[in-house]
Amino acid sequence: MGNKREPFQIMTRRFGLLNKVCCSVGGHDLSAAQSHILYEIDGHNSPSMQQVADTLGTDITTFSRQIQTLIKMGLIEKSPDARDRRVSMLSLTDEGQQVARTIDEQMNSYLEEVLSYLTPFEQETVMSSIHLFNEAMAKSDRCCHPVAEPKIKLD
């Protein structure tokens, strides 16, 4: 089957995941990580910072910096949990909801266009394969973690 990594490298580049700015909405330039954060907060009812960081497989320190940037941009709000004030809950501002919806619409439009170049059978095959692949990745204990450096044995 050749180089298994190559198709994923190409797909990552074509999705723009390596770009410093993945999307510009309402005067805001957002990175792919920030876009993912907005998506996760929008999809849950006031999740905690730790929940979103865990979902994205991001360490809390890096994640906290992203949250501070999104707060300064006026896209999210952070508030203490009513039951445990040590826990911070996240929510989108009205502007954040609009930005998240716009990104979602843009991505869905892009994916619809890309899929339109395929037959209905090919579309179903691709989507089914992606679901299967995501399920298989979830079974790996290395899912969502950085690639570990090989251990070098010094004798």
Side-chain angles (χ1 to χ4, degrees):
M1 191 171 172
N3 183 345
K4 290 177 180 62
R5 182 177 174 185
E6 183 69 15
F8 295 99
Q9 294 291 111
I10 293 168
M11 192 168 56
T12 297
R13 286 193 301 268
R14 288 190 176 148
F15 261 124
L17 297 177
L18 302 176
N19 298 352
K20 182 174 182 173
V21 173
C22 82
C23 39
S24 295
V25 179
H28 299 290
D29 293 334
L30 299 165
S31 69
Q34 291 166 335
S35 173
H36 280 266
I37 291 168
L38 294 178
Y39 180 85
E40 289 303 324
I41 294 171
D42 193 37
H44 298 86
N45 185 21
S46 297
S48 72
M49 280 187 57
Q50 191 65 56
Q51 286 172 311
V52 178
D54 289 347
T55 298
L56 296 176
T58 307
D59 72 274
I60 196 71
T61 304
T62 302
F63 183 74
S64 292
R65 283 193 294 271
Q66 294 283 2
I67 293 301
Q68 285 309 116
T69 300
L70 290 167
I71 289 170
K72 287 178 188 167
M73 293 169 93
L75 301 179
I76 66 169
E77 294 174 333
K78 182 170 81 166
S79 57
D81 183 11
R83 293 171 300 232
D84 185 347
R85 299 192 60 75
R86 297 170 296 174
V87 175
S88 294
M89 308 308 284
L90 301 173
S91 59
L92 297 179
T93 62
D94 289 342
E95 185 177 6
Q97 288 176 359
Q98 182 60 42
V99 168
R101 280 191 201 103
T102 301
I103 293 169
D104 199 44
E105 289 168 6
Q106 290 173 349
M107 285 303 301
N108 282 321
S109 173
Y110 171 65
L111 292 170
E112 286 292 327
E113 179 202 344
V114 170
L115 290 169
S116 76
Y117 300 117
L118 304 174
T119 67
F121 174 76
E122 290 169 333
Q123 291 177 29
E124 181 59 36
T125 301
V126 167
M127 295 309 294
S128 177
S129 297
I130 290 171
H131 288 292
L132 284 170
F133 192 72
N134 279 333
E135 289 172 15
M137 287 178 73
K139 293 175 185 174
S140 170
D141 60 358
R142 295 192 289 183
C143 180
C144 305
H145 300 290
V147 176
E149 291 185 36
K151 302 264 189 237
I152 299 174
K153 199 171 190 179
L154 300 173
D155 292 323

